[in-house]
Amino acid sequence: MEQNKKDIKNTVDKTNKNGIINIAIDGPAGSGKSTISRAVAKKMGIIYVDTGALYRTVALKLLAKKVKIENDSVEEILKTTKVELKFVKGEQKVFLDGTDVTDKIRTPDVSMTASSSSALPNVRKYLLNMQQSIAKENSVVMDGRDIGTVVLPNADIKIFLTASAECRAKRRWLELTQKGQNVTYEEVLKDQKERDYNDSHRKIAPLKPCEDSVIIDTTELSLEQSVEHLYNVIQNKLNK
Ligand code: DC
């Protein structure tokens, strides 16, 4: 850990932004983004922000209100919706209208609604400021779909994490079944393909690497190898 702190200190001096480092990580569902980003942030001693959780929190509200997923109806709901992101012992928690919903946002229903509602301009506008303010005030590893392209275009490092569709679906299926959810691999793969299509074909902020992204494919890498590789890429870039 001492070594890590030293690594970061050396790089902090070069960022010239009051010592704040912003690392943007984008990629498709199941690429291992959250797990890898969380581990890398921990290794660096900085905050990990999972922006997908914010879109999922909005989706939870839309599902509860049974609202049609279109821009105007959703805008009405958002006027009276409070989404908050808090850090409890370094772990991110999301709150919807004052209630901690962190454990309620990982269901297939919420995933699908988050994918369709995140294409709406009003939803993206509603969440943009919150994400940018966190990164302005804190060193962060922030993951999502448009972090490098829209949320933090001036990030110190931009990474695009990917893996084959089958590998990603298998990882997500294992994660869901380990949590006790009753889904088949085929269902997960089908849902994932639909979400991949939605996320990369929407008009605003579609999922795509930036020109200056480092692309990392984790298909053949274990979790430990992915974390190590990402950490080394980050250190090398920051030390240039
Ligand atoms: O990363 P995730 O699977 O938890 O994200 C849920 C959905 O939210 C995903 O289908 C796309 C959307 N999303 C987005 O549009 N932009 C982000 N920065 C993060 C997530």
Side-chain angles (χ1 to χ4, degrees), residues 5-204:
K5 274 190 192 146
K6 209 164 123 211
D7 286 351
I8 294 168
K9 189 171 180 323
N10 285 341
T11 54
V12 160
D13 297 335
K14 291 179 186 168
T15 60
N16 201 23
K17 284 193 307 185
N18 304 325
I20 286 178
I21 299 175
N22 286 173
I23 299 169
I25 303 193
D26 292 300
S31 57
K33 270 189 331 265
S34 329
T35 318
I36 298 168
S37 305
R38 183 183 291 110
V40 167
K42 195 170 175 201
K43 212 164 149 69
M44 296 182 70
I46 63 178
I47 292 175
Y48 161 59
V49 184
D50 165 13
T51 62
L54 299 173
Y55 287 91
R56 287 171 178 273
T57 303
V58 167
L60 192 67
K61 174 83 174 231
L62 302 178
L63 276 170
K65 289 281 174 193
K66 295 190 170 60
V67 66
K68 197 167 162 216
I69 308 297
E70 56 85 31
N71 217 30
D72 292 343
S73 327
V74 166
E75 187 183 25
E76 271 316 296
I77 300 286
L78 291 180
K79 277 182 192 160
T80 56
T81 297
K82 192 169 172 198
V83 172
E84 291 166 287
L85 198 150
K86 296 181 187 173
F87 292 90
V88 180
K89 293 189 188 135
E91 278 294 306
Q92 173 180 309
K93 303 277 176 199
V94 278
F95 287 73
L96 175 60
D97 300 325
T99 304
D100 183 351
V101 293
T102 314
D103 294 335
K104 297 197 166 63
I105 56 171
R106 303 283 160 196
T107 65
D109 256 9
V110 172
S111 298
M112 221 28 118
T113 307
S115 181
S116 48
S117 56
S118 63
L120 301 176
N122 283 334
V123 171
R124 304 208 73 83
K125 198 166 80 190
Y126 177 77
L127 295 175
L128 182 62
N129 203 1
M130 190 190 307
Q131 299 169 75
Q132 290 178 329
S133 315
I134 295 167
K136 200 170 171 198
E137 286 155 25
N138 304 277
S139 284
V140 293
V141 174
M142 184 176 279
D143 86 17
R145 303 294 191 286
D146 62 336
I147 309 303
T149 49
V150 177
V151 180
L152 305 176
N154 297 321
D156 301 281
I157 305 168
K158 299 176 185 177
I159 309 260
F160 193 85
L161 265 190
T162 187
S164 73
E166 290 72 22
C167 167
R168 292 188 284 115
K170 193 168 165 215
R171 287 176 185 165
R172 185 54 66 111
W173 173 72
L174 280 172
E175 190 187 323
L176 292 173
T177 47
Q178 274 162 9
K179 280 186 194 153
Q181 291 190 26
N182 189 15
V183 282
T184 65
Y185 165 77
E186 287 71 24
E187 284 165 345
V188 174
L189 182 63
K190 184 173 163 285
D191 276 13
Q192 181 188 273
K193 282 189 173 157
E194 204 174 316
R195 290 175 62 204
D196 279 356
Y197 186 86
N198 288 346
D199 294 350
S200 53
H201 285 79
R202 64 181 178 222
K203 283 209 183 82
I204 328 168

